Amino acid sequence: MKLHLTREEFLALWRTHRGYTPSVCGDACVQRSDGMDLDSILMAEMEEWYRKLLLEADESLLAPEDIAADTAMPAPSGGSVTIHLPPGV
C-alpha cells in the first residue's frame, strides 16, 4: 500500500508511531526545557527515514511519477542549468 500524505499528515502519523499523541499517552504531558521543539525533532527523524528510503528501498516500494511534461530544461548558462520543478515535487 502506498500512502500519499501531506507533511502535516505524515507528522501526525509519525507522532502516533512514536507514542506522542493524546490517545496513546492518555493524560501524559510532554515538555522540553532546552529550547528544542518536539515537532522539529520528529521532523528531522522523518526526513532521515525518508532520505534512507529513497536511497535504499526497492523501487516497488516507491511511487515514482513522470514529471517530464511539466518541466523544461533551459539552455545552459555559464556551464550550469537551473530546472524548475512543478509544485508538489
Side-chain angles (χ1 to χ4, degrees), residues 26-78:
D27 62 354
C29 179
V30 177
Q31 269 187 314
R32 292 186 62 112
S33 60
D34 59 1
M36 291 296 294
D37 177 14
L38 180 60
D39 282 354
S40 297
I41 294 170
L42 295 176
M43 288 297 292
E45 286 180 7
M46 285 171 32
E47 290 169 359
E48 183 59 31
W49 171 84
Y50 192 67
R51 188 177 302 111
K52 185 175 181 182
L53 178 69
L54 291 175
L55 292 172
E56 299 176 4
D58 186 77
E59 189 176 328
S60 66
L61 296 174
L62 304 175
E65 293 183 26
D66 185 358
I67 60 168
D70 299 325
T71 60
M73 185 159 152
S77 171

Side-chain angles (χ1 to χ4, degrees), residues 1-16:
M1 173 174 64
K2 295 176 184 172
L3 297 176
H4 297 271
L5 303 173
T6 65
R7 191 174 184 99
E8 292 76 24
E9 291 169 332
F10 191 16
L11 179 58
L13 186 60
W14 197 266
R15 256 193 235 109
T16 299

